[in-house]
Amino acid sequence: MSGKPVPGRAGDRGQDSDAELDLDLRHRTWSTSDWKDHGAVLRRILPQLATALVSGHVQPLFGMREVGYSFSRGLWQQWPTHQSAAVWEFLHAWWAHTLSQPAPVVPVHEVLALCTEASATLGPWLHTWEALDHRVADQHLAAAAARWEYDLLGDRLPWDSMDDAEARCAELASWLARHAPARLRGQDVPEELLHRIRLTGLNGPARWEDPHRPDCRY
């Protein structure tokens, strides 16, 4: 997936395409939004960026969704087939690995936001999660649900999305309400959380008039 460096920009110090970038330069490279050819820049750093992501050495200011934005700006799904397939393989492998780790270096909810923004789709990542029928994946589901429920009950996606935030919020809420309760009843989760998850699948009066509706302002 490596490509030639893009000349004529600050920070391009004449490195060949295999030269290792330091953390600061790598961050400035993927996070800059005004490259003339962002795809070429992303290909240049992607092997190093992928390694840094998996090892937890990438720490964006506002969350891993920012890295997903960078992938999206690079239009990687329009790259030659073997290159775009390699990106898909990396994202899917990292996501599945994260779900299988009791204490992943990057939290599950952060990796999901990155993968969703990078690919402009939420469904495949939720399908992978749903297919992993083991306790660790369920523990991550409980933690994510506890983190998401306030936003979802306010009809907000739990991260800032580049587009389709409303549709993704509805998709995530529906999936959580449909899929999570059966798996979480075997976990040590508060009954209150299970009610809030159920409520994310309801709309209008059915949600707001429910006796278990949280007494919160959204």
Side-chain angles (χ1 to χ4, degrees), residues 105-161:
V105 294
V106 181
V108 163
H109 67 276
E110 291 279 12
V111 179
L112 179 63
L114 183 155
C115 289
T116 299
E117 296 305 311
S119 64
T121 184
L122 176 60
W125 317 109
L126 297 181
H127 296 330
T128 297
W129 204 343
E130 188 170 347
L132 291 176
D133 186 13
H134 56 70
R135 187 171 182 81
V136 171
D138 292 349
Q139 290 170 343
H140 290 312
L141 186 58
R147 175 176 288 272
W148 292 337
E149 54 90 3
Y150 181 84
D151 283 322
L152 292 178
L153 286 175
D155 295 318
R156 296 183 299 272
L157 189 66
W159 64 87
D160 292 333
S161 183

Side-chain angles (χ1 to χ4, degrees), residues 171-186:
E171 183 178 6
L172 180 60
S174 175
W175 178 85
L176 190 66
R178 184 180 67 252
H179 176 66
R183 291 180 70 160
L184 297 189
R185 286 192 183 96

